[in-house]
């Protein structure tokens, strides 16, 4: 079996980590790009490498300061009217030219619709591998090899994948996996112009109109009210509570598969990874592939009628009661403008803390 060689190999690659920077419709850098910049900065500091951002658009030089403040040592930027809107032909051609010119060892991309499209095409052109939908990244400092953590079989298998002989080492990472580190306005970096490449020989798309609609982004919600099989598809009940708390609704995989709620609200290893201040798990058993989606929540509150539900082992606060009684009672209290109290909740649903399972406090903070 003959191995296909990448466009540039290990010896030709520069010890540098690049991040493809997506833009929000409003004009700033996308949250996933800031998350990846933060992770790239962490890995680069461990290895003693520089970190760089790759940014395309029209008149986007104003974003250089934001990228540098979040960890970029260099910002590779290509500006052209044709780059104002994502079009895969010109974006892929320009990115390919930049990667071949500078030859970074690692190239990270957000696992968004545009990011997946771009990363796949670049991997083929560069004749390298692509680790898709990663849940974690680490660096083997001795070999300079990126190790990507990827789940499979509904979260039942966790694989560690590496590319020892191909460059660049490419990976896409889902939004919400990494934390955005605070911006450092004192950081200084270099802005490097990159030539625009039209890629006209393969244009198959024409942008007729750019419309911005509402977009759900559970990775940014401060309060997550998540429902599982135990709520019997009654997500309207959870939505009412979430609205009062200023949050949004998520779900485990079974209600999504059964059609009770849209798939973009699926939380977990095969869905969305969230970092809410508070996650309220309603009627959720607590399978591992769901818990991955809320493991970075500051506070987890679990409501379940099964005293042996695994979710209680991962929650900060446990309520042993019927979710169909507790949630409406809590909603009524919030609508009345009162603060929920222990006596009120006991009267509504007779909740208890499971014996010997007071809630696993995963942090030492007082909450």
């Amino acid at each position: 079996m003959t191995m296909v060689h990448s466009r540039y190999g290990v010896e030709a690659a520069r010890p540098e980590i690049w991040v493809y920077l997506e833009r929000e419709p409003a004009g700033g850098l996308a949250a996933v790009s800031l998350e990846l910049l933060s992770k790239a900065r962490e890995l680069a500091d461990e290895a003693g490498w520089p970190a760089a951002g790759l940014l395309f658009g029209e008149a986007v030089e104003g974003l250089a300061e934001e990228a540098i403040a979040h960890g970029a040592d260099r910002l590779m930027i290509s500006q052209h009217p044709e780059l104002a809107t994502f079009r895969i032909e010109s974006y892929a051609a320009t990115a390919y030219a930049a990667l071949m010119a500078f030859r970074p060892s690692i190239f990270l991309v957000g696992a968004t619709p545009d990011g997946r499209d771009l990363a796949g095409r670049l991997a083929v052109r560069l004749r390298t591998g692509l680790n898709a939908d990663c849940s974690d990244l680490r660096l083997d400092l001795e070999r300079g090899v990126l190790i990507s953590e990827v789940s499979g079989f509904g979260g039942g298998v966790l694989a560690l994948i590496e590319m020892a002989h191909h460059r660049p080492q490419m990976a896409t990472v889902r939004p919400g996996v990494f934390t955005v580190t605070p911006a450092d306005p004192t950081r200084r970096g270099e802005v490097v112009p990159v030539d625009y490449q039209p890629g006209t020989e393969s244009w198959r798309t024409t942008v007729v109109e750019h419309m911005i609609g509402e977009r759900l982004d559970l990775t940014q919600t401060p309060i997550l009210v998540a429902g599982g099989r135990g709520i019997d598809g009654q997500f309207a009940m959870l939505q009412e509570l979430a609205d009062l708390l200023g949050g949004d609704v998520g779900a485990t995989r079974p209600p999504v598969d059964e059609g009770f709620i849209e798939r973009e609200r699926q939380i977990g290893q095969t869905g969305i990874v969230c970092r809410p201040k508070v996650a309220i798990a309603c009627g959720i058993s607590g399978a591992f592939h769901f818990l991955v989606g809320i493991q970075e929540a500051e506070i987890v509150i679990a409501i379940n009628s099964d005293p042996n539900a695994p979710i209680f082992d991962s929650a900060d606060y446990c309520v042993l009661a019927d979710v169909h009684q507790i949630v409406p009672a809590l909603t009524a209290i919030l609508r009345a403008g009162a603060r929920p109290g222990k006596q009120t909740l006991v009267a509504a649903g007779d909740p208890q803390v499971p014996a010997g399972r007071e809630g696993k406090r995963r942090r030492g903070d007082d909450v």
Side-chain angles (χ1 to χ4, degrees), residues 295-309:
Q295 65 182 351
E296 295 300 328
E298 293 183 20
I299 299 173
V300 176
I301 302 171
I303 306 172
N304 202 297
S305 58
D306 179 5
N308 296 313

Side-chain angles (χ1 to χ4, degrees), residues 189-226:
E190 178 187 11
V191 177
V192 180
V194 172
D195 291 336
Y196 161 70
Q197 301 292 330
T200 52
E201 74 282 354
S202 60
W203 271 10
R204 295 180 182 176
T205 58
T206 300
V207 178
V208 177
E209 184 179 4
H210 188 201
M211 299 179 64
I212 301 175
E214 291 188 11
R215 184 178 62 176
L216 176 67
D217 188 1
L218 291 181
T219 65
Q220 304 301 310
T221 188
I223 298 177
L224 176 71
V225 182

Side-chain angles (χ1 to χ4, degrees), residues 31 35 175-177 215-227 235 239 242-243 246-252 256 261-268 271-279 290 293-294 297:
E35 293 165 11
V177 170
R215 184 178 62 176
L216 176 67
D217 188 1
L218 291 181
T219 65
Q220 304 301 310
T221 188
I223 298 177
L224 176 71
V225 182
F235 282 94
Q239 186 65 62
D243 290 342
D248 217 325
V249 171
T252 61
V256 172
I261 194 168
E262 57 268 31
R263 191 161 296 278
E264 62 182 341
R265 294 185 184 273
Q266 182 177 323
I267 307 297
I272 299 168
V273 176
C274 303
R275 296 174 178 270
K277 293 183 179 296
V278 179
F290 166 76
I294 61 167

